[in-house]
Amino acid sequence: MAKKNQKNNGAAVATATPASGSAAVAEQQRQPADAALRRELLRSMLLQRRFEERCAEAYALGKIGGFCHLYIGQEACGTGAISVLREDDYVITTYRDHGQALARGISPRAVMAELFGKVTGCARGKGGSMHLFDANVNFLGGHGIVGGHIPIATGVGFAIKYRGGDQVIICFMGEAAVNNGAFHEALNMAALWKLPVIYVIENNRYGMGTALERASAINDIAERAAAYDMPRAVLDGQDVLAVRQGIGEAVERARRESIPTLIEVRTYRFMGHSMSDAVSGTYRTKAELEEYLKRDPITLLRATMQDAGELSDEEVAKMDEEIKAIVQDAWDFADQSPEPPPEALYEDVLAETTT
């Protein structure tokens, strides 16, 4: 197995996976994405960026309450990963979930209304920023407890296998979650029982304000999978095409052989940990941020497409204006939607489990 130790410094990183799975499928995943796909990936990432920028504005105006964690800078991770899934596959994630919810197909209106705490939101205004959920697209949350959703993902993988299906589930997490006991128990069980789960670590270098090097005994955290004899990979999280390729290989392995994979996607958030930490100047330098901004995932894909003659400045401007209009519509819809009625407090508390 090829390996390359490299600090998460924003440069391209090596991809490494054991040689299990179909060689034909792997070769197919290595083929360049066509122009239409690249355009769709760009549009998805740009929608997430413009949506999150308006979320920051809405939070400052008091329209969004509680906690709010923006995905700006990490768009390539969720976009590339989710783009290889089928409609009947599953996604589960952390509280930094807005971008992934949009990438999975929850409407901007439903997401914004949820953030505004309105009854028209995807969780009827009860979940808010950290708990987006929509069973219609198999988006299983948005979870506020660090690492708490990893065993849930493993349980979904067990259910898929128990029912004899060929679906997979992608479980997103931050790098700080790997120091949680639930992480190790879940991965051990998934490897032992051969469950179709792809565990994706979005390593943005900081758990709140603590650098990875201060919290983890090893910096190449994908290597933790070795303890469970599990395939693993390290991907460049600022390159949406690299993410799509690497996750695609893991998805096919899980679908065909029911083998789980641990993937470390090295990325960087351009904003603070949350809106209460918008500047984040106390734990990282301005120079560090500026260095990572040079590898903005949207800028990188746009440059690739323009160099290939697939996209003009005029087309980019038109796409941007269309997306801004969609986000404004989502804002207006959320603003005008009603709040949940008081009796909603008693709904969805208990469920009848027998007939």
Side-chain angles (χ1 to χ4, degrees), residues 205-280:
R205 287 207 23 80
Y206 293 98
M208 295 187 71
T210 302
L212 169 68
E213 295 82 4
R214 295 179 58 203
S216 177
I218 61 173
N219 295 338
D220 296 321
I221 51 181
E223 291 303 304
R224 291 176 184 256
Y228 313 109
D229 195 25
M230 183 184 293
R232 62 266 193 197
V234 178
L235 305 178
D236 179 0
Q238 304 310 97
D239 183 343
V240 68
L241 300 177
V243 174
R244 176 179 163 82
Q245 174 185 317
I247 300 289
E249 293 173 1
V251 165
E252 287 303 319
R253 181 164 51 243
R255 199 180 305 285
R256 293 171 181 269
E257 304 176 61
S258 194
I259 293 177
T261 303
L262 179 66
I263 296 180
E264 177 188 351
V265 183
R266 293 182 176 176
T267 185
Y268 197 79
R269 53 175 167 79
F270 296 164
M271 305 293 287
H273 171 72
S274 70
M275 287 305 297
S276 61
D277 165 38
V279 178
S280 68

Side-chain angles (χ1 to χ4, degrees), residues 96 248 330:
R96 198 180 303 279

